[in-house]
Short mmCIF file of all heavy atoms in Angstrom, two decimals:
data_model
loop_
_atom_site.label_atom_id
_atom_site.label_comp_id
_atom_site.label_asym_id
_atom_site.label_seq_id
_atom_site.Cartn_x
_atom_site.Cartn_y
_atom_site.Cartn_z
N ASN A 22 18.52 3.10 15.60
CA ASN A 22 18.04 2.90 14.04
C ASN A 22 17.07 1.47 13.40
O ASN A 22 17.90 0.73 12.39
CB ASN A 22 18.75 2.40 13.37
CG ASN A 22 19.14 3.34 12.53
OD1 ASN A 22 18.06 2.37 12.37
ND2 ASN A 22 18.72 3.54 13.23
N CYS A 40 21.22 -13.68 2.63
CA CYS A 40 22.58 -13.95 2.57
C CYS A 40 23.11 -14.43 3.84
O CYS A 40 24.08 -15.27 3.85
CB CYS A 40 23.28 -12.66 2.08
SG CYS A 40 22.78 -12.17 0.38
N MET A 61 12.21 -8.11 11.98
CA MET A 61 13.03 -7.25 12.91
C MET A 61 12.60 -5.85 12.65
O MET A 61 12.62 -4.98 13.65
CB MET A 61 14.47 -7.41 12.45
CG MET A 61 15.03 -8.77 12.92
SD MET A 61 16.55 -9.29 12.24
CE MET A 61 17.64 -7.98 12.85
N ALA A 83 24.45 -1.33 9.74
CA ALA A 83 24.54 -0.99 8.23
C ALA A 83 25.79 -1.81 7.55
O ALA A 83 25.59 -2.38 6.44
CB ALA A 83 24.55 0.45 7.94
N THR A 108 24.56 -3.40 -7.20
CA THR A 108 23.32 -4.10 -7.16
C THR A 108 22.21 -3.11 -7.14
O THR A 108 22.33 -1.91 -6.61
CB THR A 108 23.22 -4.91 -5.92
OG1 THR A 108 23.38 -4.05 -4.70
CG2 THR A 108 24.28 -6.11 -5.89
N GLY A 110 17.71 -2.86 -7.10
CA GLY A 110 16.44 -3.42 -6.80
C GLY A 110 15.33 -2.49 -6.73
O GLY A 110 15.43 -1.20 -6.54
N GLY A 114 4.13 -1.80 -4.05
CA GLY A 114 3.04 -2.32 -3.32
C GLY A 114 2.03 -1.48 -2.99
O GLY A 114 1.94 -0.29 -3.36
N ASN A 155 25.48 2.45 0.01
CA ASN A 155 24.25 1.71 0.09
C ASN A 155 23.16 2.44 0.46
O ASN A 155 23.36 3.23 1.48
CB ASN A 155 24.44 0.56 1.06
CG ASN A 155 25.32 -0.53 0.57
OD1 ASN A 155 25.07 -1.47 -0.09
ND2 ASN A 155 26.68 -0.51 0.95
N ASP A 159 12.20 5.14 -0.56
CA ASP A 159 10.69 4.72 -0.74
C ASP A 159 9.82 5.92 -0.86
O ASP A 159 10.03 6.82 -0.06
CB ASP A 159 10.35 3.81 0.50
CG ASP A 159 9.01 3.39 0.41
OD1 ASP A 159 8.48 2.39 -0.27
OD2 ASP A 159 8.11 3.99 1.17
N VAL A 203 5.47 7.84 11.59
CA VAL A 203 5.62 7.88 13.10
C VAL A 203 5.05 6.43 13.74
O VAL A 203 5.10 6.32 14.89
CB VAL A 203 4.85 8.89 13.75
CG1 VAL A 203 5.55 10.13 13.41
CG2 VAL A 203 3.28 8.98 13.40
N GLY A 211 -1.48 10.69 17.68
CA GLY A 211 -2.35 11.84 17.34
C GLY A 211 -1.82 12.62 16.06
O GLY A 211 -2.34 13.70 15.74
N TRP A 233 42.99 -8.44 20.46
CA TRP A 233 42.41 -7.35 21.07
C TRP A 233 41.74 -6.29 19.90
O TRP A 233 42.15 -6.42 18.77
CB TRP A 233 43.43 -6.52 21.82
CG TRP A 233 43.94 -7.10 23.05
CD1 TRP A 233 44.92 -7.92 23.23
CD2 TRP A 233 43.40 -6.98 24.32
NE1 TRP A 233 45.09 -8.36 24.48
CE2 TRP A 233 44.09 -7.78 25.19
CE3 TRP A 233 42.25 -6.27 24.82
CZ2 TRP A 233 43.84 -7.94 26.60
CZ3 TRP A 233 41.92 -6.44 26.16
CH2 TRP A 233 42.70 -7.23 27.06
N ASP A 247 12.12 19.38 8.04
CA ASP A 247 11.68 20.49 6.98
C ASP A 247 10.18 20.88 7.05
O ASP A 247 9.72 21.54 6.28
CB ASP A 247 12.00 20.02 5.64
CG ASP A 247 11.35 18.77 5.34
OD1 ASP A 247 10.67 18.04 6.15
OD2 ASP A 247 11.56 18.12 4.15
N HIS A 267 38.19 -7.78 23.72
CA HIS A 267 39.12 -8.91 23.64
C HIS A 267 38.32 -10.09 23.05
O HIS A 267 37.23 -10.43 23.51
CB HIS A 267 39.67 -9.33 25.02
CG HIS A 267 40.64 -10.50 25.00
ND1 HIS A 267 41.82 -10.31 24.44
CD2 HIS A 267 40.51 -11.68 25.53
CE1 HIS A 267 42.43 -11.43 24.55
NE2 HIS A 267 41.69 -12.36 25.23
N GLN A 274 33.37 -12.02 21.57
CA GLN A 274 34.14 -10.85 22.01
C GLN A 274 33.43 -10.10 23.22
O GLN A 274 32.31 -10.08 23.34
CB GLN A 274 34.20 -9.78 20.88
CG GLN A 274 35.12 -8.56 21.22
CD GLN A 274 34.90 -7.57 19.94
OE1 GLN A 274 34.62 -6.46 20.10
NE2 GLN A 274 35.20 -8.12 18.85
N SER A 342 20.53 -4.21 26.79
CA SER A 342 19.88 -4.83 25.68
C SER A 342 20.35 -6.30 25.62
O SER A 342 21.44 -6.62 25.92
CB SER A 342 20.24 -4.10 24.27
OG SER A 342 21.58 -4.21 23.97
N PHE A 352 14.81 -25.01 8.55
CA PHE A 352 13.64 -24.33 7.94
C PHE A 352 13.10 -23.28 8.87
O PHE A 352 12.25 -22.50 8.42
CB PHE A 352 12.62 -25.07 7.37
CG PHE A 352 13.15 -26.28 6.40
CD1 PHE A 352 13.34 -27.50 6.73
CD2 PHE A 352 13.59 -25.94 5.21
CE1 PHE A 352 13.82 -28.48 5.86
CE2 PHE A 352 13.98 -26.82 4.24
CZ PHE A 352 14.17 -28.15 4.61
N GLN A 355 14.35 -18.05 14.60
CA GLN A 355 13.64 -17.16 15.47
C GLN A 355 14.60 -16.12 16.04
O GLN A 355 15.85 -16.38 16.12
CB GLN A 355 13.08 -17.88 16.71
CG GLN A 355 14.07 -18.71 17.49
CD GLN A 355 13.15 -19.69 18.56
OE1 GLN A 355 12.04 -19.43 18.88
NE2 GLN A 355 13.97 -20.67 19.15
N SER A 358 14.57 -10.15 21.26
CA SER A 358 15.34 -8.94 21.58
C SER A 358 14.63 -8.21 22.70
O SER A 358 13.24 -8.12 22.69
CB SER A 358 15.45 -7.98 20.36
OG SER A 358 14.25 -7.52 19.96
N ASN A 368 8.43 14.85 21.09
CA ASN A 368 7.32 15.77 21.40
C ASN A 368 7.80 17.14 21.95
O ASN A 368 8.85 17.12 22.73
CB ASN A 368 6.24 15.25 22.30
CG ASN A 368 5.61 13.92 21.79
OD1 ASN A 368 4.86 13.92 20.93
ND2 ASN A 368 6.04 12.87 22.39
N ILE A 383 9.44 -15.16 14.53
CA ILE A 383 9.67 -16.54 14.12
C ILE A 383 9.37 -16.56 12.71
O ILE A 383 8.43 -16.06 12.11
CB ILE A 383 8.82 -17.55 15.03
CG1 ILE A 383 9.31 -18.89 14.57
CG2 ILE A 383 7.45 -17.32 14.83
CD1 ILE A 383 8.79 -19.98 15.50
N ARG A 427 2.60 -0.15 24.36
CA ARG A 427 1.99 -0.44 23.12
C ARG A 427 2.25 -1.92 22.78
O ARG A 427 3.43 -2.46 22.99
CB ARG A 427 2.62 0.52 22.06
CG ARG A 427 1.89 0.30 20.64
CD ARG A 427 2.44 1.48 19.71
NE ARG A 427 3.80 1.17 19.38
CZ ARG A 427 4.26 1.65 18.10
NH1 ARG A 427 3.52 2.38 17.29
NH2 ARG A 427 5.49 1.38 17.74
N ALA A 449 -0.60 -5.98 9.99
CA ALA A 449 0.00 -5.51 11.16
C ALA A 449 -1.21 -4.87 12.04
O ALA A 449 -2.16 -4.29 11.48
CB ALA A 449 1.04 -4.38 11.10
N GLY A 460 -4.35 7.05 23.41
CA GLY A 460 -4.24 5.69 22.83
C GLY A 460 -4.81 5.52 21.36
O GLY A 460 -5.33 6.72 20.98
#
Side-chain angles (χ1 to χ4, degrees):
N22 263 266
C40 296
M61 290 166 64
T108 57
N155 290 275
D159 172 78
V203 293
W233 290 94
D247 56 1
H267 181 67
Q274 184 181 124
S342 68
F352 304 104
Q355 57 185 343
S358 65
N368 299 290
I383 186 167
R427 192 172 72 154

